[in-house]
């Protein structure tokens, strides 16, 4: 018995020491429906909620969730948010529902979720939950017959850089870090109990196609493309503003280096005259001089996030435009026949 206990404890300590990488997020159908209902009811207002479940090996199980209340006063949210979460967890524990936090969910508009606020929320969760995820749901894509649900986590390399607070070009080149290395998308698997699956089978109609199939054949996606183009133009303006910051920094850096060289040349000329007069030379560096004060380099985090958003909007436009061409060719062929 003692040998079995030791083996069990050794297995636990080994699992804690070397946790397997997260491979899949398994979410219950009930939790998916709750997320969709909450996000659609308040659209286009962005909402968030808590994810509950279990971390089992390489699978993160999301078994339930609950929404956060929407309030207008930020101070009231900070004051009541923690109490609300604790009260909800207590109530769920009393009815024997999983009350272990594994992350949070939030809605988005056309996939514009790559923000500094999202990263800060991730880092706050990471202090207590080593492997947490954020499930993003985009209700605007539901009209296209698409379940826009994705699970994200921060990459380990990015978290290391973020904790160091160093997003300079030199550090990023040293780590070989690019804008694509910030987030990691985890595959989502929706699961249901056998009883729920049997009930869903009973609810299925005998119709060969569903409403979702008709939605996917809808050829008018102009509003969706227009909104994507508007967001893309705004992101390009923001990216241009970030580039101007770096251009201003490099101009100042070049001007400072020229001033340092001029000052150094003057000091060397002065030291040669002092040496000829038999006097002690002056130091060639003067920390008290403003021209020797280092100019801080702007962080590249914001430009990386904007680049992520630009890539996301371009991908959405490309995908929807390709599907539209396929529908148009299909409609043309049907009319000809």
């Amino acid at each position: 018995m003692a040998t079995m206990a030791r083996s069990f404890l050794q297995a636990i300590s080994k699992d804690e020491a070397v946790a397997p990488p997260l491979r899949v997020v398994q979410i219950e159908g009930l939790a998916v429906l709750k997320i969709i209902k909450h996000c659609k009811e308040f659209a286009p207002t962005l909402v968030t909620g808590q994810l509950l479940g279990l971390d089992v090996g390489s699978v993160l199980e999301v078994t339930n969730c609950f929404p956060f209340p929407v309030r207008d006063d930020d101070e009231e949210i900070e004051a009541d948010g923690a109490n609300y979460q604790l009260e909800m967890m207590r109530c769920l524990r009393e009815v024997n529902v999983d009350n272990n936090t594994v992350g949070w969910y939030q809605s988005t508009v056309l996939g514009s979720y790559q923000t500094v606020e999202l990263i800060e929320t991730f880092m706050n969760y990471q202090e207590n939950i080593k492997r947490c995820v954020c499930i993003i749901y985009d209700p605007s894509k539901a009209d296209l017959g698409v379940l826009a649900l994705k699970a994200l986590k921060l990459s380990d390399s990015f978290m290391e850089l973020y904790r160091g607070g160093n997003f300079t070009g030199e550090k990023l080149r040293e780590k070989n870090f690019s804008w694509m290395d910030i987030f990691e998308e985890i595959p989502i698997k929706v699961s249901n109990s056998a009883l729920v699956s049997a009930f869903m089978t009973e609810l299925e109609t005998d119709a060969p196609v569903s409403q979702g199939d008709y939605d996917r054949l809808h050829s008018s996606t102009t509003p969706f493309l227009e909104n994507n183009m508007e967001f893309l133009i705004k992101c390009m303006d923001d990216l241009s503003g970030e580039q101007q910051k770096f251009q201003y920094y490099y101009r100042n850096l070049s001007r400072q280096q020229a001033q340092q060289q001029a000052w150094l040349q003057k000091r060397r000329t002065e030291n040669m005259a002092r040496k000829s007069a038999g006097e002690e030379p002056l130091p060639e560096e003067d920390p008290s001089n403003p021209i020797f004060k280092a100019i801080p380099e702007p962080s590249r985090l914001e430009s990386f996030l904007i680049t992520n958003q630009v890539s996301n909007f371009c991908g959405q436009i490309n995908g929807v435009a390709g599907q539209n061409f396929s529908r148009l060719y299909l409609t043309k062929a049907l009319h000809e026949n």
Side-chain angles (χ1 to χ4, degrees):
M1 190 70 177
T3 304
M4 292 178 62
R6 276 198 305 271
S7 301
F8 180 70
L9 293 174
Q10 289 173 358
I12 293 177
S13 62
K14 184 178 180 181
D15 290 341
E16 290 179 352
V18 183
L22 187 60
R23 300 296 185 188
V24 65
V25 174
Q26 181 174 302
I27 181 170
E28 294 286 337
L30 175 64
V32 174
L33 292 177
K34 284 184 175 181
I35 293 172
I36 294 175
K37 181 176 182 292
H38 184 209
C39 295
K40 290 191 71 174
E41 282 182 350
F42 289 90
T45 303
L46 302 183
V47 296
T48 61
Q50 193 89 300
L51 297 176
L52 307 173
L54 295 170
D55 184 2
V56 183
S58 60
V59 179
L60 190 69
E61 297 182 2
V62 179
T63 57
N64 213 322
C65 63
F66 63 86
F68 292 152
V70 178
R71 295 190 178 96
D72 296 331
D73 191 353
D74 292 340
E75 294 182 358
E76 187 178 358
I77 292 176
E78 293 179 0
D80 298 341
N83 294 332
Y84 171 80
Q85 293 183 43
L86 292 174
E87 184 64 21
M88 282 295 299
M89 304 285 270
R90 185 186 63 80
C91 294
L92 291 171
R93 184 168 58 250
E94 289 179 355
V95 295
N96 200 26
V97 175
D98 288 336
N99 60 349
N100 181 44
T101 302
V102 294
W104 81 100
Y105 70 86
Q106 69 180 51
S107 61
T108 185
V109 179
L110 298 177
S112 56
Y113 55 84
Q114 298 98 335
T115 60
V116 177
E117 289 76 14
L118 177 65
I119 292 175
E120 291 176 349
T121 306
F122 257 118
M123 299 307 295
N124 291 333
Y125 270 85
Q126 285 284 340
E127 293 180 359
N128 300 316
I129 307 170
K130 297 301 180 184
R131 297 204 304 180
C132 68
V133 297
C134 175
I135 291 183
I136 307 289
Y137 177 70
D138 190 349
S140 63
K141 293 185 180 179
D143 296 335
L144 303 177
V146 178
L147 179 61
L149 204 68
K150 62 172 60 178
L152 299 175
K153 66 182 289 290
L154 294 179
S155 64
D156 296 335
S157 57
F158 174 78
M159 287 191 290
E160 181 182 353
L161 278 174
Y162 190 85
R163 291 190 181 101
N166 189 355
F167 281 94
T168 60
E170 181 181 355
K171 190 67 175 180
L172 296 175
R173 286 190 296 270
E174 177 187 337
K175 297 290 184 179
N176 196 22
F177 190 86
S178 70
W179 58 269
M180 295 181 290
D181 301 327
I182 297 179
F183 297 103
E184 292 181 7
E185 185 173 351
I186 311 298
I188 293 180
K189 178 183 177 182
V190 180
S191 66
N192 290 303
S193 64
L195 186 61
V196 172
S197 299
F199 178 68
M200 294 298 295
T201 304
E202 290 293 327
L203 292 179
E204 286 183 358
T205 61
D206 296 332
V209 293
S210 63
Q211 183 61 41
D213 297 323
Y214 288 117
D215 292 338
R216 280 189 285 272
L217 290 174
H218 200 273
S219 58
S220 177
T221 55
T222 303
F224 183 81
L225 288 174
E226 287 180 352
N227 292 333
N228 269 281
M229 287 300 298
E230 290 177 2
F231 277 76
L232 180 58
I233 292 171
K234 183 178 183 301
C235 284
M236 294 305 296
D237 291 339
D238 294 339
L239 189 59
S240 176
E242 289 295 318
Q243 290 177 343
Q244 290 177 5
K245 290 181 183 178
F246 287 106
Q247 291 173 0
Y248 180 73
Y249 162 74
Y250 284 117
R251 282 198 301 268
N252 287 341
L253 185 62
S254 178
R255 187 182 302 115
Q256 185 190 54
Q257 290 174 349
Q259 291 174 350
Q260 289 175 354
Q261 289 297 327
W263 185 90
L264 186 59
Q265 186 66 29
K266 181 181 177 182
R267 177 56 61 91
R268 286 174 177 172
T269 304
E270 186 179 353
N271 282 338
M272 289 177 64
R274 292 175 65 90
K275 190 175 181 180
S276 301
E279 299 178 1
E280 287 291 330
L282 297 174
E284 293 188 354
E285 291 185 2
D286 186 6
S288 61
N289 196 321
I291 64 174
F292 287 99
K293 184 179 180 181
I295 301 176
E297 181 179 346
S299 173
R300 297 179 184 265
L301 176 59
E302 193 68 35
S303 60
F304 273 26
L305 293 175
I306 296 173
T307 307
N308 261 296
Q309 293 186 17
V310 170
S311 175
N312 180 60
F313 292 136
C314 290
Q316 290 181 156
I317 292 172
N318 185 35
V320 173
Q323 293 173 5
N324 275 354
F325 276 118
S326 300
R327 295 190 192 103
L328 289 174
Y329 282 122
L330 176 61
T331 305
K332 180 181 177 181
L334 290 174
H335 281 299
E336 289 177 352
N337 293 332

